[in-house]
Amino acid sequence: EAGVVQSPRYKIIEKKQPVAFWCNPISGHNTLYWYLQNLGQGPELLIRYENEEAVDDSQLPKDRFSAERLKGVDSTLKIQPAELGDSAVYLCASSLNQGNKAFFGQGTRLTVV
Amino acid sequence: GENVEQHPSTLSVQEGDSAVIKCTYSDSASNYFPWYKQELGKGPQLIIDIRSNVGEKKDQRIAVTLNKTAKHFSLHITETQPEDSAVYFCAARQTGANNLFFGTGTRLTVIP
């Protein structure tokens, strides 16, 4: 069974430019998460989807970050415009539904210069 | 929200020795405690988890213990091998919620 797939693996952009990350969760997983991981820190939740509904986006900086999961499967996370402080690893995870084990993708390492 | 503290931040052991990583949590409503292993350049990999109705769980060389009264849980790795070298994260999830709160990680180095 394929795991959580994220792309791209690495992205380098100039500040003020837009960037988008893509995530394909494990087949059949209804819950999808986007986490932010700063260097030397544990992951922190940005947004959680139950199917296509964003049920927890309290930590998402909505002035520049947006996310969507239109058909309840794949998801994209966008930053516009990117700032230097956005340099981090962006992790996607999925679980079968609420209360189940969460599995992570490889992450996208973003560098803003 | 939940606050998870993890110690130590770095740990070096000789191959074959045991390693113990400890975490504390703040919210007594938390009922699920997974441990993740993260190798360089990879995403966190779930290695073991425990729910609050259980005090201990083992899977081969890995075990987790939970003390609900003291609100702490620990990861135990026995007979460590060089491939155990990685960063380990503990996490906690509250009852009725679905967000994992992570510790700050422990970098484990197993010296051959």
Side-chain angles (χ1 to χ4, degrees), chain A residues 29-99:
Chain A
H29 280 197
N30 298 321
T31 305
L32 183 146
Y33 317 76
W34 282 103
Y35 280 87
L36 166 70
Q37 186 175 27
N38 286 306
L39 189 64
Q41 299 295 315
E44 299 174 25
L45 183 72
L46 288 172
I47 189 168
R48 172 171 65 90
Y49 282 91
E50 297 292 342
N51 298 303
E52 65 275 8
E53 182 182 0
V55 295
D56 184 354
D57 62 355
S58 57
Q59 301 304 310
L60 190 71
K62 299 181 184 61
D63 57 335
R64 297 184 300 108
F65 286 65
S66 63
E68 62 182 13
R69 193 185 184 200
L70 293 176
K71 297 183 179 179
V73 181
D74 295 0
S75 177
T76 57
L77 177 68
K78 298 177 181 178
I79 308 175
Q80 182 171 12
E83 298 178 352
L84 294 176
D86 296 331
S87 295
V89 175
Y90 291 82
L91 293 163
C92 179
S94 71
S95 63
L96 188 59
N97 46 43
Q98 285 194 55

Side-chain angles (χ1 to χ4, degrees), chain B residues 55-75:
Chain B
E56 182 176 0
K57 184 177 180 181
K58 286 185 179 180
D59 183 3
Q60 298 182 20
R61 297 185 297 108
I62 295 174
V64 57
T65 59
L66 171 65
N67 183 326
K68 286 191 297 182
T69 303
K71 291 189 283 189
H72 66 70
F73 56 113
S74 301
L75 177 71

Side-chain angles (χ1 to χ4, degrees), chain A residues 26-33 35 48-50 93-104, chain B residues 31-36 46 48-51 57 91-102:
Chain A
I26 293 172
S27 178
H29 280 197
N30 298 321
T31 305
L32 183 146
Y33 317 76
Y35 280 87
R48 172 171 65 90
Y49 282 91
E50 297 292 342
S94 71
S95 63
L96 188 59
N97 46 43
Q98 285 194 55
N100 284 85
K101 303 173 190 285
F103 298 92
F104 283 82
Chain B
N31 67 344
Y32 174 66
F33 308 93
W35 286 87
Y36 287 85
L46 180 66
I48 196 168
D49 57 5
I50 191 168
R51 298 189 185 273
K57 184 177 180 181
R93 185 173 67 205
Q94 299 160 304
T95 304
N98 207 23
N99 183 20
L100 287 172
F101 292 88
F102 284 82

